[in-house]
C-alpha cells in the first residue's frame, strides 16, 4: 500500500508540474516579438499571439518591409516575383497560414520541427526564435496609432546621404524599427546598411560598423519608444550606446512623424 501511495504521489506531482508549465506558457494576454535585423531585401519577421482563458485564440506570423508593407499581402497579390517558391505545398503566405492554423489546433507553443506542419516546407528557426522571445514580452496596449511609418530626408547631407526611418506600430506600441541611408548620387538605391553588412561601407574612425550602429539606434527606438534625444553641434548623441555616427537626421524624421499623428 505504501508503495502504491508513493507511485501515486509521484504521478500527481508530475501532472501538477505539467499543468503549471502549461499555465505559465498560456497565461492570458497579447504577446509579440519582431526580428530587429532585416534581411538583404529589408524584411523583418514578427509574431503575435493572443491567449484568452488559457487558450491560444489567435496567432499571426508575417514579415514586414518598413517601406513597402506586409510580405503576406505582397505575396498574395504577386504572380511571379521574389516570393515565388515554386513549391507543390504552396507559396510562402499559404504555408504560413497552415502554420498558424496548426498552432491553434494543437494549442502548443513548443518549438516546431521540420515535419511539424503537414504541407509546409518553410524553415521554422526564425519562427521558433520569435516565439521564445514573445513568451517574455506580454504587452500593455499603448496609445500610438497602429500602422507603418516611413519617411526620408528631403535633401542629401554634405556626403550625399539620404536618411530613412521606418517603424511599425502595433497595439499602440512600436514593435520594430530600422534606420538607414543611401547615396543620392547613385544610379540605383543601395542602402548603406546592406553595404556595411557586406563589408563595403567603412566608417574607419569608429569601432562599430555602420550596420551595428543602425541596429543600436533602431533598438533604442523600440526599447524607449522614442527617438527624441539630445544632439551636439555635429548631430551626435551620448544617449545611445555605441552610436557615434550622426543621428540628428533620424531624430528629426521621428519627431516630424510623431507630430503628424
Amino acid at each position: 500500500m505504501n508503495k502504491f501511495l508513493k507511485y501515486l504521489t509521484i504521478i500527481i506531482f508530475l501532472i501538477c508540474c505539467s499543468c503549471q508549465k502549461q499555465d505559465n506558457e498560456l497565461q492570458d494576454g497579447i504577446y509579440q516579438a519582431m526580428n530587429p535585423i532585416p534581411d538583404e531585401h529589408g524584411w523583418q519577421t514578427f509574431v503575435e499571439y493572443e491567449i484568452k482563458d488559457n487558450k491560444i485564440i489567435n496567432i499571426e506570423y508575417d514579415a514586414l518591409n518598413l517601406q513597402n508593407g506586409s510580405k503576406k499581402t505582397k505575396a498574395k497579390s504577386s504572380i511571379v516575383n521574389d516570393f515565388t517558391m515554386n513549391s507543390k505545398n504552396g507559396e510562402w503566405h499559404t504555408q504560413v497560414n497552415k502554420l498558424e492554423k496548426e498552432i491553434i489546433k494543437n494549442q502548443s507553443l513548443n518549438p516546431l520541427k521540420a515535419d511539424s506542419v503537414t504541407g509546409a516546407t518553410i524553415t521554422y528557426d526564425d519562427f521558433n526564435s520569435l516565439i521564445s522571445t514573445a513568451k517574455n514580452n506580454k504587452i500593455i496596449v499603448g496609445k500610438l496609432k497602429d500602422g507603418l511609418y516611413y519617411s526620408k530626408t528631403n535633401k542629401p547631407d554634405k556626403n550625399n546621404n539620404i536618411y530613412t526611418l521606418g517603424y511599425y506600430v502595433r497595439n499602440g506600441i512600436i514593435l520594430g524599427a530600422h534606420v538607414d541611408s543611401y547615396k543620392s548620387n547613385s544610379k540605383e538605391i543601395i542602402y548603406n546598411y546592406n553595404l556595411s553588412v557586406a563589408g563595403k561601407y567603412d566608417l574607419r574612425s569608429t569601432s562599430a560598423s555602420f550596420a551595428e550602429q543602425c541596429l543600436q539606434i533602431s533598438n533604442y527606438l523600440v526599447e524607449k519608444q522614442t527617438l527624441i534625444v539630445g544632439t551636439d553641434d555635429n548631430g551626435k548623441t551620448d544617449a545611445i550606446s555605441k552610436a557615434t555616427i550622426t543621428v540628428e537626421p533620424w531624430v528629426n524624421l521621428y519627431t516630424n512623424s510623431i507630430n503628424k499623428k
Side-chain angles (χ1 to χ4, degrees):
M1 183 68 178
N2 289 337
K3 191 174 182 179
F4 171 77
L5 290 175
K6 180 181 178 180
Y7 285 130
L8 181 61
T9 301
I10 292 173
I11 292 172
I12 293 174
F13 174 77
L14 291 174
I15 292 174
C16 288
C17 287
S18 176
C19 291
Q20 182 65 41
K21 181 179 180 181
Q22 184 181 32
D23 288 343
N24 288 338
E25 283 192 347
L26 301 181
Q27 291 184 355
D28 286 9
I30 298 174
Y31 300 79
Q32 59 187 29
M34 188 167 182
N35 190 338
I37 303 176
D39 67 12
E40 65 272 21
H41 301 294
W43 295 109
Q44 293 173 250
T45 50
F46 79 91
V47 72
E48 177 184 292
Y49 62 88
E50 183 176 359
I51 307 296
K52 186 175 182 180
D53 297 329
N54 299 115
K55 292 183 178 180
I56 305 169
I57 63 170
N58 185 54
I59 185 166
E60 181 172 359
Y61 177 52
D62 200 353
L64 292 174
N65 180 301
L66 296 178
Q67 181 178 357
N68 296 319
S70 161
K71 187 173 183 178
K72 275 185 180 177
T73 303
K74 294 288 184 181
K76 288 177 183 178
S77 61
S78 301
I79 299 175
V80 178
N81 57 14
D82 291 338
F83 306 105
T84 303
M85 296 178 63
N86 294 319
S87 171
K88 64 179 181 180
N89 294 313
E91 299 302 326
W92 187 83
H93 66 282
T94 302
Q95 297 194 41
V96 167
N97 288 337
K98 292 177 182 178
L99 181 156
E100 293 167 342
K101 290 178 181 178
E102 194 74 12
I103 294 293
I104 293 178
K105 175 184 175 182
N106 294 332
Q107 289 294 299
S108 173
L109 296 172
N110 292 330
L112 296 175
K113 299 179 182 179
D115 58 350
S116 294
V117 181
T118 303
T121 57
I122 57 175
T123 58
Y124 303 127
D125 290 347
D126 180 74
F127 176 80
N128 290 336
S129 178
L130 287 173
I131 287 291
S132 179
T133 301
K135 287 179 180 179
N136 299 313
N137 193 29
K138 180 179 178 180
I139 68 150
I140 298 175
V141 176
K143 297 181 179 180
L144 298 177
K145 184 178 180 180
D146 285 4
L148 283 172
Y149 294 83
Y150 178 83
S151 56
K152 61 182 180 180
T153 51
N154 294 323
K155 298 179 180 180
D157 66 5
K158 61 182 181 181
N159 296 314
N160 289 315
N161 285 312
I162 294 291
Y163 292 79
T164 66
L165 166 69
Y167 61 95
Y168 179 46
V169 177
R170 190 177 178 97
N171 295 305
I173 62 174
I174 299 172
L175 176 58
H178 184 62
V179 300
D180 209 336
S181 64
Y182 63 89
K183 295 295 182 182
S184 63
N185 56 352
S186 297
K187 291 182 179 180
E188 59 177 321
I189 295 178
I190 302 176
Y191 288 97
N192 293 327
Y193 177 90
N194 288 340
L195 290 174
S196 178
V197 170
K200 298 179 180 180
Y201 191 82
D202 186 10
L203 296 177
R204 296 182 183 179
S205 60
T206 63
S207 57
S209 70
F210 179 80
E212 290 170 333
Q213 295 194 51
C214 283
L215 289 177
Q216 287 294 116
I217 298 166
S218 301
N219 289 340
Y220 181 93
L221 173 53
V222 174
E223 179 183 350
K224 303 295 185 181
Q225 294 289 293
T226 184
L227 196 56
I228 299 177
V229 296
T231 57
D232 61 20
D233 293 339
N234 296 315
K236 299 183 179 183
T237 184
D238 293 328
I240 304 174
S241 175
K242 298 181 180 180
T244 60
I245 56 178
T246 299
V247 301
E248 188 173 32
W250 292 311
V251 172
N252 291 337
L253 287 173
Y254 174 77
T255 304
N256 290 336
S257 71
I258 288 294
N259 291 336
K260 290 178 181 179
K261 291 180 182 179

